[in-house]
Amino acid sequence: MIVMINGAFGAGKTSAANQLQPLIPNSMIFDPEEIGYMLRKVIPEDVRMKEERTDDFQDMELWKILTVTIARELRHKYDKHLIVPMTIYDTERFEYIYRGLSELDSNLYHFTLMTSMDTLHERLAKRGDKLGGWTYQQAVKCLEAFQDARFEQHIITDDLTTDDVIKHIYSNVMQKELALE
């Protein structure tokens, strides 16, 4: 099984993934942001394609390719369920990664953590992000893009604790897993 936890920066994806992982036996967290950080270090800006010279490593073509490739290799090597926290709002990249992950495991679950802009800003401030910084700048386009039905199942988290979010994800996943048995 693969569980994708999507949402804007600051929506609670990493917290949810960290608390969900111990509940799903034989699972591990795979965070594609780490691939982006590596690509930034490995590929100098002057080597990147013109469209890749942005402040978002997801604009680097290799990011989406390596995300799927590394997920595949993790599954083959370690045979574990993957919990994948990632902010991915670009529809073309989302479709590529979703399709690639679904080819690895037909038991692919996708959840998008949704919040109001006020709640998102409160959470970004609470975790220490700089007001007006990069994560704040991404908020509007993330929240707008996630309204699209392709990003369902939505979980409105404004009034939920991380425990509430975990219960929702876990019960949905386990209910479907039990139905498949």
Side-chain angles (χ1 to χ4, degrees):
M1 131 182 42
I2 300 174
V3 179
M4 293 175 70
I5 304 175
N6 201 350
F9 301 97
K13 303 172 302 298
T14 301
S15 296
N18 288 332
Q19 288 188 26
L20 180 64
Q21 189 271 324
L23 301 176
I24 299 179
N26 194 40
S27 69
M28 65 184 286
I29 294 174
F30 166 50
D31 187 346
E33 275 191 11
E34 298 300 329
I35 296 167
Y37 299 144
M38 184 260 320
L39 287 172
R40 277 189 185 153
K41 289 181 180 178
V42 171
I43 305 170
E45 191 158 336
D46 65 330
V47 173
R48 297 178 197 170
M49 307 300 288
K50 183 178 180 181
E51 62 276 6
E52 296 177 335
R53 295 178 188 172
T54 70
D55 61 356
D56 189 345
F57 55 67
Q58 289 188 15
D59 290 330
M60 298 174 76
E61 178 90 17
L62 277 176
W63 178 80
K64 70 179 184 183
I65 295 167
L66 289 177
T67 294
V68 173
T69 301
I70 292 172
R72 180 182 309 108
E73 294 304 317
L74 288 171
R75 290 298 304 272
H76 289 302
K77 177 75 174 173
Y78 301 106
D79 193 30
K80 294 200 176 279
H81 302 297
L82 298 179
I83 300 170
V84 187
M86 63 187 327
T87 297
I88 183 159
Y89 58 87
D90 177 86
T91 56
E92 184 269 328
R93 288 183 214 128
F94 174 80
E95 293 293 334
Y96 181 93
I97 291 170
Y98 187 89
R99 185 174 45 255
L101 295 180
S102 68
E103 290 171 4
L104 295 177
D105 195 322
S106 59
N107 295 349
L108 173 62
Y109 303 96
H110 177 266
F111 300 91
T112 301
L113 307 184
M114 302 287 286
T115 68
S116 67
M117 188 66 73
D118 288 341
T119 299
L120 189 59
H121 284 179
E122 286 173 22
R123 291 177 182 171
L124 289 171
K126 186 176 181 180
R127 74 178 199 182
D129 289 19
K130 183 180 175 190
L131 181 63
W134 192 84
T135 53
Y136 283 89
Q137 295 170 24
Q138 306 310 304
V140 171
K141 61 182 162 188
C142 286
L143 295 181
E144 286 176 3
F146 291 145
Q147 298 300 319
D148 189 305
R150 83 181 75 229
F151 293 107
E152 292 178 353
Q153 177 175 354
H154 293 137
I155 303 173
I156 310 301
T157 66
D158 291 288
D159 297 320
L160 300 180
T161 65
T162 302
D163 286 343
D164 294 332
V165 172
I166 296 311
K167 287 175 190 170
H168 180 87
I169 292 172
Y170 184 76
S171 66
N172 273 267
V173 167
M174 297 317 293
Q175 182 180 10
K176 291 175 185 170
E177 285 294 309
L178 291 172
L180 295 172
E181 291 180 352

